[in-house]
Amino acid sequence: MIFDVWKDIKKKQLQPTYLLVGKESFLMQETIQLIIDAGLQEEEKDFNLSVYDMEETTIDQAIEDAETLPFMGEKRIVVIKNPSFLTSEKKKEKIEHHLGKLEQYMNEPAPYTILIFFAPYEKLDDRKKITKLVKKNSVVLEMNSLSDRDIASWTMELVQNEKVLMGQNALEELMILTAGDLTIINQEVKKLSTYVGEGRTISREDVRNLVPRSLEQNIFELIENVVQRKSSQALQIFYDLLKTNEEPIKILFLLVNQFRLILQVKELSKAGYGQQQIANSVKVHPFRVKLAMQQARLFGEEELVSILMELAQADYEMKTGRKDKQLVLELFLIKIFTKNTA
């Protein structure tokens, strides 16, 4: 739905009120920027664009601005950030909001104003009268994690906008290396496009050579080599991490996180959960769940529990200084290789 709304916005088919909800901040910022670019000329933005943070300003001030005629232009855009009064949050507010003014406005919005609610929450409280009213009279865009298909579609649209091409293998490699992070994908597509040049094709090798691996991605590759019994490759990644001054304790922490995720994914998959349901349950990006599902097939549950116990022992030995930190991790990896080849 979000991409359909983006198409309408780009055609300048703008609506009086938008409600953006979710944790995918990049998409939310992109949507707001599209609305601003479609609704206002560059020279109008200083006069007719306002942003109000509801943690610092009352809703009355924002609505008063929304009801003010635009200056030297046809439209006014008012952005309302952090509207926690639409949620069930019980935190003590520094600002007291009188919602009567907002209710009146939502029932009769100003025809010359575009009002945007920027709500960085997983969900709103649909039991509240004001939430129901805002939802009823707004274009509602839920912006939590996208599906793999949507991320791929969005990425290819970026590629087309940069006037370059990208094959399926290169796309898959990019999604793996960025773990589906939209902000990073956006940066890397621009860099890759500049590198290959207009009209050329971004290859898988281009992606591998130019897109940096995160520490988390290196840990994933390390585990992948462990389960594939590629001991030399796994150890090479480990030593490369040490050469870049990554702390053994941090590497251990990420190993624990990844193996714990693999176990959680395995158990939830067994219980009938799908990829998106698992992502919501363990609160990680769906693409990380997809990769963990692939690795989970290569382990038994008892084996994963045993590995986590060994990692807990390694953590204890590191923190108590009983053994050299690098040696602790080396011994752990060797033990895993021995089990896999037994």
Side-chain angles (χ1 to χ4, degrees), residues 51-59 61 81-84 91 93-97:
V51 179
Y52 294 94
D53 188 336
M54 294 296 97
E55 294 179 357
E56 300 173 358
T57 311
T58 66
I59 188 64
Q61 290 175 266
K81 295 177 64 178
N82 302 316
S84 59
K91 66 180 182 180
E93 301 284 354
K94 293 186 294 183
I95 304 294
E96 187 174 353
H97 298 288

Side-chain angles (χ1 to χ4, degrees), residues 95-157:
I95 304 294
E96 187 174 353
H97 298 288
H98 301 286
L99 300 176
K101 187 83 171 173
L102 176 58
E103 289 183 17
Q104 290 176 359
Y105 184 88
M106 292 308 301
N107 283 314
E108 196 173 347
Y112 44 77
T113 294
I114 301 168
L115 191 66
I116 306 170
F117 291 93
F118 184 103
Y121 316 108
E122 284 189 15
K123 60 181 179 179
L124 304 180
D125 189 348
D126 291 331
R127 298 168 297 178
K128 288 187 173 182
K129 177 183 175 183
I130 188 62
T131 305
K132 291 178 182 176
L133 182 61
V134 170
K135 277 192 164 186
K136 178 184 176 183
N137 295 324
S138 303
V139 174
V140 182
L141 293 174
E142 293 190 6
M143 298 185 180
N144 287 307
S145 299
L146 296 179
S147 67
D148 293 344
R149 181 179 295 179
D150 285 341
I151 294 173
S153 174
W154 177 79
T155 302
M156 292 310 293
E157 187 170 325

Side-chain angles (χ1 to χ4, degrees), residues 32-93:
I32 289 175
Q33 193 58 53
L34 284 174
I35 294 171
I36 291 171
D37 291 341
L40 300 175
Q41 299 294 326
E42 191 62 38
E43 62 273 13
E44 297 173 347
K45 292 177 183 177
D46 288 340
F47 305 106
N48 294 321
L49 172 62
S50 304
V51 179
Y52 294 94
D53 188 336
M54 294 296 97
E55 294 179 357
E56 300 173 358
T57 311
T58 66
I59 188 64
D60 301 58
Q61 290 175 266
I63 296 304
E64 186 176 330
D65 192 355
E67 291 176 334
T68 303
L69 285 167
F71 181 73
M72 295 180 65
E74 296 181 2
K75 290 288 183 184
R76 176 178 292 280
I77 296 178
V78 176
V79 181
I80 296 176
K81 295 177 64 178
N82 302 316
S84 59
F85 47 76
L86 299 178
T87 74
S88 57
E89 289 187 6
K90 300 295 183 184
K91 66 180 182 180
K92 185 172 177 59
E93 301 284 354

Side-chain angles (χ1 to χ4, degrees), residues 249-262:
I249 193 73
K250 188 174 183 181
I251 297 172
L252 177 67
F253 172 76
L254 291 170
L255 282 169
V256 171
N257 276 357
Q258 185 64 22
F259 275 110
R260 185 185 292 129
L261 176 62
I262 292 169

Side-chain angles (χ1 to χ4, degrees), residues 53-314:
D53 188 336
M54 294 296 97
E55 294 179 357
E56 300 173 358
T57 311
T58 66
I59 188 64
D60 301 58
Q61 290 175 266
I63 296 304
E64 186 176 330
D65 192 355
E67 291 176 334
T68 303
L69 285 167
F71 181 73
M72 295 180 65
E74 296 181 2
K75 290 288 183 184
R76 176 178 292 280
I77 296 178
V78 176
V79 181
I80 296 176
K81 295 177 64 178
N82 302 316
S84 59
F85 47 76
L86 299 178
T87 74
S88 57
E89 289 187 6
K90 300 295 183 184
K91 66 180 182 180
K92 185 172 177 59
E93 301 284 354
K94 293 186 294 183
I95 304 294
E96 187 174 353
H97 298 288
H98 301 286
L99 300 176
K101 187 83 171 173
L102 176 58
E103 289 183 17
Q104 290 176 359
Y105 184 88
M106 292 308 301
N107 283 314
E108 196 173 347
Y112 44 77
T113 294
I114 301 168
L115 191 66
I116 306 170
F117 291 93
F118 184 103
Y121 316 108
E122 284 189 15
K123 60 181 179 179
L124 304 180
D125 189 348
D126 291 331
R127 298 168 297 178
K128 288 187 173 182
K129 177 183 175 183
I130 188 62
T131 305
K132 291 178 182 176
L133 182 61
V134 170
K135 277 192 164 186
K136 178 184 176 183
N137 295 324
S138 303
V139 174
V140 182
L141 293 174
E142 293 190 6
M143 298 185 180
N144 287 307
S145 299
L146 296 179
S147 67
D148 293 344
R149 181 179 295 179
D150 285 341
I151 294 173
S153 174
W154 177 79
T155 302
M156 292 310 293
E157 187 170 325
L158 283 181
V159 169
Q160 290 171 9
N161 290 340
E162 295 293 331
K163 297 182 172 58
V164 293
L165 304 171
M166 177 183 278
Q168 186 64 29
N169 288 341
L171 173 63
E172 289 174 0
E173 190 72 20
L174 179 63
M175 290 180 68
I176 289 172
L177 291 177
T178 59
D181 186 301
L182 301 184
T183 302
I184 299 174
I185 289 174
N186 182 57
Q187 295 168 349
E188 296 303 327
V189 165
K190 288 179 179 177
K191 180 171 72 178
L192 288 161
S193 301
T194 301
Y195 174 74
V196 300
E198 187 173 322
R200 307 292 292 275
T201 300
I202 298 170
S203 69
R204 188 175 189 176
E205 284 304 307
D206 294 330
V207 175
R208 284 180 172 174
N209 291 334
L210 294 179
V211 178
R213 291 180 181 272
S214 66
L215 177 55
E216 290 81 0
Q217 181 58 33
N218 277 314
I219 294 298
F220 174 84
E221 287 291 329
L222 190 155
I223 294 172
E224 188 72 12
N225 282 305
V226 167
V227 298
Q228 297 292 344
R229 304 182 182 183
K230 297 177 180 178
S231 57
S232 58
Q233 290 93 324
L235 286 169
Q236 186 61 57
I237 292 172
F238 172 61
Y239 293 132
D240 286 345
L241 289 172
L242 294 177
K243 285 178 186 176
T244 57
N245 297 318
E246 293 294 352
E247 283 291 326
I249 193 73
K250 188 174 183 181
I251 297 172
L252 177 67
F253 172 76
L254 291 170
L255 282 169
V256 171
N257 276 357
Q258 185 64 22
F259 275 110
R260 185 185 292 129
L261 176 62
I262 292 169
L263 179 58
Q264 289 173 319
V265 166
K266 192 170 190 68
E267 290 175 338
L268 291 171
S269 295
K270 189 176 178 181
Y273 282 60
Q275 182 178 321
Q276 189 63 51
Q277 290 174 302
I278 295 173
N280 293 337
S281 179
V282 299
K283 299 191 184 305
V284 301
H285 196 285
F287 199 76
R288 278 195 64 199
V289 171
K290 179 182 179 180
L291 297 178
M293 289 175 85
Q294 294 171 3
Q295 291 185 326
R297 299 188 189 103
L298 303 170
F299 291 96
E301 285 185 31
E302 290 183 7
E303 185 182 5
L304 287 167
V305 171
S306 175
I307 289 171
L308 285 168
M309 289 177 66
E310 288 170 4
L311 285 167
Q313 179 63 29

